[in-house]
Amino acid sequence: MTVRVIEGSGLVRRYATPRQWPWGSRAETRAVDGVDIRINTGEIVGLIGESGSGKSTIGRLLLGLEAPDVGTVRVDGTAMPPRHAPQWRSLRRDIQMIFQDPHSALDPRARILDQVAEPLDIFDIGAPESRRERAADALAEVGLNTAVFDQFPSALSGGQKQRVVIARALVLRPRFLVCDEPVSALDVSVGAQIVELLATVQRQHGMSLLVVSHDLSLVRSLVNRVCVVYAGRIVEKAATDELFRHPRHPYTRLLIDSVPVADPRRRKRRARAQGLASEPSASDHGCAFAPRCSRRLPVCTQEAPQLKVAGAHFAACHNPAPVEETK
C-alpha cells in the first residue's frame, strides 16, 4: 500500500482522570478536542504547543495507535482500519513513528543491527539473509558505521541512539512518519544534526512527516506548514514563514516571544500571559486560552472561537493580534 494523504476530521480523544477519593466519580479530560488536520504527499507539517496540549495524542490517532472517541482518520480517502486488524497491520508498513525518548525506545538486551532488522522480520520482508544487509544500509543512511552494529544501546550516545531509532523507522521505507519530539532528549548541537538528517532522508524518500515539538527552532527550520495546538485544539495554522512573521493568535505570539533573543540590542514587544497553562477540559464554552489572554473580550469566555481566515492563514480567535513583523 502506498500512503499519499492522511487526514483527521473532528478528532476527539477523552481520558478519565483518577478519582480524588475512592468513592468519588471520575472526571473526564479531552486531550484532543475537535481537531481537523491533513498531511499531503511529501509535506512536512509541524504541531507545536506546550507540554500536555495534545500534540502527541494527535500523532497517535493519525497512526491508528489509538482510536478517536469521535471523528475519523482517513488514509487516501479510506477509513483507518481498527487497530490489529489485518488491514491495519498491512498499513503499518507504510506509516511509522520516531518516539520521543530514544533510550526507552530501544531494547537494552538486543544488539543494534538486530533491532533495526526486527521490523523486517515482523513483516517477513525479503529473505532472512538479506534483512541484516538492508538493516545495515539503513544504519549507514543515518550516519552510523559498522562499529555500532554489534553494540548494545548502553554503549551508544544519545545522538547515536536517536539515529538508530530513525534507521529502524526507515528500514520499512514508509511513506508517512510521525516524529514525536525527535530532539527533546538531545543537546543543541546533536539536535541540529538530527534535524538535518530528517530533512535529508525526507528529500531522498519523498515521505510525508508530522513533526511534534515544542522546539520552535526545530519547527521553523524543518516544516512547510505549522499547526499550533492549545488545550487539545488547533488555534492557528499557516505556512511556516507566514506564521512566524505574522502570528495572529495571542498564544502563538506568546510561544514565539518566549524564544530567547541572542542580540541584546534587539528590542521587541513581548506578549504576556496571565496565570499558568490551562489543562484540557471537557468544556465547550469559551476559549481555553481566555484566562491567560491579555486580549480577551467578554465573548471569549462565552463562546469557543472557530478557525477562520485571518490574513494568509487560519486562527481561532475573537480578537486576533494585528499583523506585525516578527523576526
Side-chain angles (χ1 to χ4, degrees):
M1 181 177 185
T2 301
V3 174
R4 295 180 177 86
V5 178
I6 289 186
E7 56 186 333
S9 301
L11 299 179
V12 175
R13 185 69 174 102
R14 307 184 187 97
Y15 297 104
T17 58
R19 294 185 177 94
Q20 291 186 339
W21 304 99
W23 56 86
S25 60
R26 287 183 180 271
E28 184 182 82
T29 182
R30 289 184 188 177
V32 178
D33 191 8
V35 164
D36 295 328
I37 187 170
R38 177 186 175 101
I39 297 95
N40 298 309
T41 304
E43 188 177 28
I44 310 177
V45 176
L47 283 182
I48 65 173
E50 296 167 310
S51 297
S53 61
K55 309 183 302 296
S56 295
T57 303
I58 293 172
R60 291 195 296 271
L61 292 173
L62 293 177
L63 286 177
L65 297 177
E66 295 188 32
D69 296 300
V70 179
T72 57
V73 176
R74 295 186 177 276
V75 181
D76 295 332
T78 303
M80 174 74 71
R83 187 180 180 188
H84 300 313
Q87 299 89 339
W88 183 81
R89 177 180 170 83
S90 176
L91 180 64
R92 285 288 287 139
R93 290 181 53 175
D94 234 20
I95 55 177
Q96 289 290 310
M97 187 169 191
I98 297 174
F99 292 96
Q100 179 173 354
D101 183 4
H103 310 290
S104 60
L106 297 174
D107 184 347
R109 300 164 297 179
R111 299 183 188 277
I112 296 302
L113 188 63
D114 293 336
Q115 296 200 52
V116 176
E118 184 180 21
L120 301 173
D121 296 333
I122 292 173
F123 287 99
D124 195 23
I125 297 175
E129 59 273 12
S130 69
R131 293 171 190 165
R132 289 176 62 85
E133 181 178 344
R134 182 162 164 178
D137 291 341
L139 285 165
E141 185 177 14
V142 299
L144 294 175
N145 58 36
T146 56
V148 307
F149 289 5
D150 291 325
Q151 298 282 354
F152 293 97
S154 59
L156 273 58
S157 67
Q160 288 176 317
K161 291 178 185 178
Q162 189 65 290
R163 290 173 184 268
V164 172
V165 172
I166 295 173
R168 191 170 61 181
L170 294 177
V171 75
L172 291 173
R173 297 170 186 167
R175 302 302 304 162
F176 177 56
L177 190 62
V178 174
C179 308
D180 187 6
E181 299 283 5
V183 300
S184 64
L186 308 175
D187 61 41
V188 174
S189 60
V190 177
Q193 296 172 15
I194 296 300
V195 171
E196 181 59 33
L197 172 61
L198 288 172
T200 300
V201 298
Q202 191 276 336
R203 288 193 300 267
Q204 291 175 345
H205 296 280
M207 67 181 70
S208 304
L209 265 62
L210 178 67
V211 180
V212 177
S213 183
H214 63 269
D215 186 333
L216 270 65
S217 299
L218 161 65
V219 170
R220 191 168 191 174
S221 64
L222 182 61
V223 311
N224 310 125
R225 184 162 53 89
V226 181
C227 297
V228 182
V229 184
Y230 185 77
R233 298 177 180 175
I234 292 179
V235 297
E236 188 165 5
K237 56 183 179 181
T240 304
D241 288 343
E242 169 64 22
L243 184 131
F244 278 90
R245 286 166 63 90
H246 305 299
R248 302 301 308 278
H249 197 283
Y251 177 61
T252 307
R253 292 178 63 87
L254 175 68
L255 290 177
I256 294 174
D257 286 349
S258 67
V259 177
V261 179
D263 188 348
R265 295 171 298 180
R266 283 179 52 195
R267 295 185 178 182
K268 59 188 296 187
R269 187 172 61 197
R270 295 276 177 169
R272 293 287 183 263
Q274 303 170 4
L276 301 176
S278 296
E279 293 291 335
S281 69
S283 174
D284 292 317
H285 304 293
C287 174
F289 189 65
R292 305 176 64 193
C293 184
S294 60
R295 298 182 56 83
R296 65 178 178 269
L297 302 173
V299 68
C300 297
T301 59
Q302 302 165 6
E303 180 183 340
Q306 302 300 313
L307 278 171
K308 54 187 177 182
V309 176
H313 54 257
F314 291 84
C317 184
H318 293 299
N319 186 24
V323 174
E324 293 181 2
E325 189 81 5
T326 301
K327 300 294 184 181

